[in-house]
Amino acid sequence: MTTHYFRACLLSLALLAAQPALSNQALILPPGTFNPAQTLPAPPPDNSLEAATERATIKEAYRDATPEERAAAKQDAANESVRLYADVLPGFDLDKLPASKALFKTVRTNEKVQTGAFKTYFNRQRPYQVDSDITPCLPPKNFDINASDPSGHTTMAFSSAVVLAHLLPEYAPAIMQRAEQYGRHRIVCGAHHPFDVRSGQVLGTLIGFTLIKSPALQAQLEAARSELSRSITKPTALIGTEWVATRINGDAVIGHAPTLTIEGNKAYGSSGCNRYTGQVTLGNKDAMQFGPAASTRMACPGNTDQQEAAYLKALHGVTAYHLNTGSLILLDAQYNKVVEFKTLPESQLP
């Protein structure tokens, strides 16, 4: 075990030296900072029942995913960058945020060194190497073979998420939800076993918290915090705001838009034609669940009744939400967007 560990460290140093783009960045966590054998459990053998069950889970995840989720998983596979959080952070454009861009370049540099050491140590085959019935959503690269555990995408996402949530605590739940969704997409993509994704979550979190506490990173953290505080405004209040639906299950709202207002544990508004009212439960980490709703019974013209039914059904599938400036997104258990809202002045309605 010890020989394998030091071999992984030496390989990481060789890779670092061979990549000028990395060696020019501050290496706060050099190879050997974390011992793989003492940090993460070893993955199950490829011929074990546990590994076979994981591969079945991968096939099930792909089969059960909607076309939209498969497309999102493929898009995430091609985006191994902190820019993935632009989905939940208004104004998070690194090309206009030089201090933040520099910070996350340092985070990425340190994360890649650690991830490389762990991948080399565990040397796990990818799901599609073991099972020809699993096809990755993007063509595999030669250097990615035998590099399944931990998931590098997931490690990157969680190390960046921890640092970003530290800088923007108001958006922390949305950031962490996006990281979880990003990791799950690696399973839908057929690129990793669920075990690998969990390992990436743990390692990424460890890297993120270790970097946050490092004296060597404090100047970059403060510069990015100041920059982000000027560029990203706090989210609009959930309670007491009238929200106007713009999309339902990804489809643009047509005609009379449904609305939502939350007061305490009560949710009410227009479902497009009728008025509705019901209970809503808000929990920790932006959890949300709607109870049964009472509604008026007016006849609705055209296809308004179909859109109305889709809206009310979508509400019952909600498990979480995240807020931005002037927008609210309701999410299902897989963090898919089921209903998207804007505040009334910002809504673009037909």
Side-chain angles (χ1 to χ4, degrees):
M1 284 289 188
T2 302
T3 301
H4 194 177
Y5 167 54
F6 282 111
R7 187 182 300 121
C9 291
L10 289 172
L11 181 57
S12 294
L13 282 170
L15 290 172
L16 182 66
Q19 299 183 54
L22 290 182
S23 60
N24 289 337
Q25 297 301 310
L27 192 60
I28 299 170
L29 307 178
T33 299
F34 307 115
N35 186 332
Q38 297 175 351
T39 305
L40 294 175
D46 291 332
N47 60 355
S48 66
L49 177 61
E50 183 179 352
T53 301
E54 284 203 295
R55 294 192 291 272
T57 299
I58 294 169
K59 297 174 186 177
E60 181 181 0
Y62 181 82
R63 184 181 65 247
D64 293 346
T66 64
E68 292 78 15
E69 187 175 7
R70 292 176 189 172
K74 185 174 182 179
Q75 183 175 354
D76 276 350
N79 177 26
E80 197 170 358
S81 162
V82 71
R83 295 174 188 270
L84 72 99
Y85 296 108
D87 290 354
V88 297
L89 293 174
F92 188 64
D93 181 353
L94 287 185
D95 294 330
K96 299 178 181 177
L97 300 168
S100 301
K101 186 174 184 177
L103 167 67
F104 285 103
K105 195 170 184 179
T106 300
V107 173
R108 180 75 168 121
T109 295
N110 285 272
E111 173 269 313
K112 288 184 76 171
V113 170
Q114 299 307 315
T115 302
F118 277 71
K119 283 179 177 287
T120 301
Y121 181 84
F122 290 119
N123 195 40
R124 189 182 194 187
Q125 294 191 92
R126 299 270 183 172
Y128 50 79
Q129 290 181 259
V130 184
D131 190 335
S132 60
D133 289 335
I134 296 174
T135 303
C137 59
L138 291 179
K141 302 172 183 176
N142 289 336
F143 63 80
D144 274 342
I145 300 301
N146 293 359
S148 196
D149 183 38
S151 163
H153 279 69
T154 308
T155 306
M156 177 282 301
F158 272 77
S159 59
S160 299
V162 167
V163 175
L164 196 53
H166 174 69
L167 298 174
L168 295 169
E170 298 90 350
Y171 285 100
I175 292 167
M176 300 312 298
Q177 286 169 3
R178 180 69 177 99
E180 289 184 27
Q181 181 195 49
Y182 185 86
R184 184 178 186 278
H185 282 169
R186 302 306 289 153
I187 300 170
V188 174
C189 252
H192 288 285
H193 309 83
F195 185 99
D196 311 329
V197 171
R198 290 193 297 272
S199 295
Q201 292 174 341
V202 174
L203 180 59
T205 301
L206 176 61
I207 292 170
F209 275 111
T210 304
L211 287 173
I212 285 173
K213 295 178 181 178
S214 171
L217 197 66
Q218 296 311 305
Q220 282 191 304
L221 284 170
E222 288 308 312
R225 191 194 310 276
S226 176
E227 181 179 71
L228 290 170
S229 68
R230 297 191 302 270
S231 304
I232 298 179
T233 56
K234 293 185 178 181
T236 304
L238 172 68
I239 305 299
T241 300
E242 182 178 25
W243 299 101
V244 181
T246 57
R247 289 185 176 274
I248 303 170
N249 295 320
D251 297 326
V253 168
I254 299 173
H256 295 289
T259 65
L260 169 67
T261 301
I262 296 176
E263 297 282 359
N265 64 351
K266 181 181 178 182
Y268 61 90
S270 167
S271 48
C273 174
N274 289 282
R275 301 291 301 178
Y276 71 94
T277 183
Q279 298 293 307
V280 62
T281 302
L282 304 177
N284 295 329
K285 297 183 179 180
D286 287 2
M288 175 185 284
Q289 185 173 10
F290 290 89
S295 176
T296 56
R297 299 292 182 180
M298 294 172 52
C300 305
N303 68 345
T304 304
D305 56 341
Q306 297 175 9
Q307 181 171 273
E308 182 173 67
Y311 171 73
L312 293 174
K313 182 179 179 180
L315 291 185
H316 289 301
V318 171
T319 61
Y321 70 96
H322 68 70
L323 286 166
N324 284 334
T325 304
S327 73
L328 166 68
I329 299 175
L330 304 186
L331 309 163
D332 64 14
Q334 285 74 47
Y335 304 116
N336 297 311
K337 300 175 183 178
V338 292
V339 188
E340 299 173 52
F341 298 90
K342 293 287 187 182
T343 51
L344 190 58
E346 298 178 16
S347 300
Q348 301 295 320
L349 303 176

